[in-house]
Amino acid sequence: MADQIPLYPVRNVAAAAANRKRAAYYSAAGPGPGADWHSRYQLEDESAHLDEMPLMMSEEGFENEESDYHTLPRARIMQRKRGLEWFVCDGWKFLCTSCCDWLINICQRKKELKARTVWLGCPEKCEEKHPKNSIKNQKYNVFTFIPGVLYEQFKFFLNLYFLIISCSQFVPALKIGYLYTYWAPLGFVLAVTMMREAIDEFRRFQRDKEVNSQLYSKLTVRGKVQVKSSDIQVGDLIIVEKVDEFLIYFRPIFTSYTLAARCLLVQHGSCFIRTDQLDGETDWKLKVAVSCTQRLPALGDLFSISAYVYAQKPQLDIHSFEGTFTREDSDPPIHESLSIENTLWASTIVASGTVIGVVIYTGKETRSVMNTSNPKNKVGLLDLELNRLTKALFLALVALSVVMVTLQGFVGPWYRNLFRFLLLFSYIIPISLRVNLDMGKAVYGWMMMRDENIPGTVVRTSTIPEELGRLVYLLTDKTGTLTQNEMVFKRLHLGTVSYGADTMDEIQSHVRDSYAQMHSQAGGNNAGSTPPRKAQSSAPKVRKSVSSRIHEAVKAIVLCHNVTPVYESRAGVSGETEFAEADQDFSDENRTYQASSPDEVALVQWTESVGLTLVSRDLTSMQLKTPGGQVLSFCILQLFPFTSESKRMGIIVRDESTAEITFYMKGADVAMSTIVQYNDWLEEECGNMAREGLRTLVVAKKSLTEEQYQDFESRYTQAKLSMHDRTLKVAAVIESLEREMELLCLTGVEDQLQADVRPTLEMLRNAGIKVWMLTGDKLETATCVAQSSRLVPRTQDTHIFRRVTSRGEAHLELNAFRRKHDCALVISGDSLEVCLKYYEHEFMELACQCPAVVCCRCSPTQKACIVTLLQQHTGRRTCAIGDGGNDVSMIQAADCGIGIEGKEGRQASLAADFSITQFRHVGRLLMVHGRNSYKRSAALGQFVMHRGLIISTMQAVFSSVFYFASVPLYQGFLMVGYATVYTMFPVFSLVLDQDVKPEMAMLYPELYKDLTKGRSLSFKTFLIWVLISIYQGGILMYGALVLFESEFVHVVAISFTALVLTELLMVALTIRTWHWLMVVAEFLSLGCYVSSLAFLNEYFGIGRVSFGAFLDFTFITTVTFLWKVSAITVVSCLPLYVLKYLRRKLSPPSYCKLTS
């Protein structure tokens, strides 16, 4: 890989100066992380040549300031692109777009986002004006609809050319034929397009109106009032009930009970929300209200206090929030820190409880809107290629017209003759090309939706089916796309003994015996009046036994989590959950578990299966039920949730029966290996489980005295109130506890994959498609799924990109990655952002050479950004596939978007170009339908152009014979009929053609690689069709003139008959697999032509004498006429048949080798 990447080496003359600058840069970094990275690589890099040093390490890079550094790679690309060729091809469009963007930015200046102070229930106190809380997805309004649609149509050269040609027929001097021959096809295309756009626009308007009119309960001094979502303002107090999706971003300050049927009992100021439409995670998340407002006796008291929220400025990150809650009218003032646990996001759903929150962000400043990109109008690569070919045909048209005028000698009004020749030869660019392709795309979409092998497939964008056959990069989500998001506990390892699925009954026996023994000991101690804490003093003496170790491990697993048991109302209770906490039915039938991670649910479900059950939990306590039926109570003192930086979570609990305080922690092995006491088995067993595709967690504990905990609590509370570097200060306090912890066990959980994910990914890999996994999940989880799904094969090396925060760290880590060869890349969203800021071009070059890339902790905006960068840096076609609302931006940014209807709703499915029900359907969608769509459209487009070229060649020969006169050879209905009833059905039947059977295409995905090279439609194939058209057009016209010299008056009928027969034979020559409808189309077209001869005699004349009856039925039924027409047709087609046969024998294409 390293040998193929241009690194812009430093000139030897400047090597010494560059070395000095590099040394100064790293010495200035000081003792920070950059210095540590430098020392780590120092021994390795000192001996390396400067050309092999970190990327972009040139004088140019060091002379620029850090703020300007990220512009260097893009500047180099632009310098290479600039020139006359760039301006002629795309430069003018780029300059026009830049000017328009500049004008738009002048008219719509974006205001700077700032932190804000929001007073409870007082929107009028807001110092700044905030955006309206409304949604608008419409592309046009009443005034811009017609101009906008016309612009989208006529920005393509093909349609603009047809418009100019049609308008020219209003000038009498330039009129060639009838107006309907030009305006009818163009009007048909415009009418269908505008009708389709109008329907789509009206549907968008209705959806926006429905969402903006959704009613919410607003709390005021006078009580509850109903307001539309578009009327909600920052500072309002909003009441959100269970299963209400809210379109604002607010802070919960009060939570009450909800007594609806089948609703959860929510206590102590907490609630659950579902965020599947925001971050793709289907599990419920626990949200906590501000404790200060929980002590208020009534809702109306919220308006009697003086309190405000200080919130950070709106930002993209959906995983973090920093703010403070302050109540001024208390003595002393109350200050509480606010984090992401105290917030409810827009585009999420309250799953339990009733929430009263103060609105912080609205409209465009909410996280969901800021992470959503505007959809673009997608144009297929095949359409762009055909547009380029039509430009080449236009140049040929102009050149031919100039040649004809030149040979004419520029006599008379030559400019008028030049324009008439342009009109005569205008069929070089066939007006039916757009109509045929659009109808073909509709047929391809219908075939996809009718395919029984991929049921439930829906084509939502019918203009780009050929893109499915040109893909090089497939970017996929993880949760719900590759996996079912259902975890199963598989393995428990205690160091000396390991338990799998077939030995779980042993663990159940040990747990039952352990608690039975403890119960009997507790009964004996109580009888002897022994204090409870004495009973535990002998525990360390028996801890070496397997039974005791299993008991401690299971107890730690059932206590160290963020899981809440949920009890649904019984069938006999109608309308309300009437039982209180004291007499709740803790039966297994009514209990389900909810947590922010399915891993934790799987662990708690496993502890229930072995006898130790979590039966109740709130913010301050937890209750467990032993195998004997006893209930153990624990007080939750502190909870440290999982973060991507720490890679672990912890909890401090107090056993209410013994008053013992224990700190439990679980996390990834890379984070826990330095925290637990020395052992010699952890690293090896973690590697063994990872190779099995299991997600591993290390569990440990530490006992604390009351004094130790009180000291920790005071320092922890002070760190949480800090507004500067809060995260670092809190982490430092927690790390003071994480020393010499006792290692209890290692767990292994398996994430169930979707059906046939592994063979589908292998098929895509064999087809030459590179698969990138972009997920918002944790790095460890993403890595495990990538390995278990075989996205990264077992024999493949994996490079986990270290976390970088500065240019220096990214610099050195990229250099280390550059030395790796043929390895998969795993990188987090934070590190990716830093690399793209300074080393965009170099990073993309390295990543594109990896067989697979995994990006974890990606926001929706980052997913769309990666798709855009792939398109810019590779020029290849990309496809994005996902199933959640967080995948919509990625799906819309890709050249082809595929949505999966799954557990996370239909938002991705509705926003995608193609909708499927399972990931495995992607294989057939690309290998079969993508292949057929591209191959058929390429053949159809080139044949339609051939049909126009051959008649233009005949017109050129005819004009040459008649002394370069601008007289039409065929006019009126003959021209319309030639492009429609006489040849349309056979030509359009090419949409049924296929080169290989679907089973063969699925069995040999390597055939797909040829499609990405674009060989079915290229300048080479186009040139071949041009030569065929010139040859056949010349033969038909000269043959008619030579063989029918004595009957010259019938030359129109003769040549036109041979032309129709030639086209029918050429369709037969092009077809690779016959369908019965193709045969019907051939004979139907021939029958239409023969039957039309009876009433078309007036059109078979020449020039101004065309109104005589020149079609002699006696003449065309003679044997002489028939054999001469047949001879002309055979001479024009037989050589092509011979050449096709020889090519198949001597140089057959790859699919021919398989079919034979």
Side-chain angles (χ1 to χ4, degrees), residues 320-364:
S320 66
F321 178 84
E322 290 185 3
T324 57
F325 176 87
T326 304
R327 180 176 177 181
E328 289 186 328
D329 57 351
S330 61
D331 190 22
I334 298 176
H335 300 279
E336 290 191 40
S337 65
L338 300 176
S339 65
I340 197 67
E341 292 183 349
N342 307 115
T343 63
L344 301 183
W345 301 320
S347 298
T348 59
I349 295 176
V350 175
S352 71
T354 298
V355 178
I356 301 175
V358 57
V359 178
I360 302 297
Y361 307 122
T362 56
K364 298 179 181 179

Side-chain angles (χ1 to χ4, degrees), residues 1049-1050 1094 1096-1101 1105-1113:
V1049 73
H1050 299 295
L1096 289 182
N1097 58 334
E1098 63 180 79
Y1099 292 101
F1100 286 92
V1105 293
S1106 62
F1107 293 103
F1110 286 94
L1111 189 60
D1112 188 354
F1113 284 100

Side-chain angles (χ1 to χ4, degrees), residues 425-437:
F425 300 139
S426 63
Y427 287 95
I428 288 181
I429 307 175
I431 199 168
S432 58
L433 177 61
R434 186 82 270 151
V435 179
N436 278 275
L437 288 177

Side-chain angles (χ1 to χ4, degrees), residues 74 81 840 867-875:
R74 193 172 294 170
K81 286 184 176 179
E840 176 184 305
V867 173
T868 305
L869 288 173
L870 272 176
Q871 294 168 341
Q872 293 175 349
H873 286 269
T874 65

Side-chain angles (χ1 to χ4, degrees), residues 640-650 663 665-668 670-672 674-675 697-698 731 734-735 738 741 778 780:
F640 315 117
F642 183 94
T643 64
S644 57
E645 291 78 18
S646 65
K647 297 181 178 62
R648 54 190 181 272
M649 69 87 59
F663 174 37
M665 176 165 282
K666 68 180 179 186
V670 292
M672 298 291 292
T674 58
I675 295 175
L697 283 174
V698 181
I734 297 175
E735 285 176 4
E738 300 170 346
M741 299 189 69
K778 302 181 286 291
E780 294 77 18

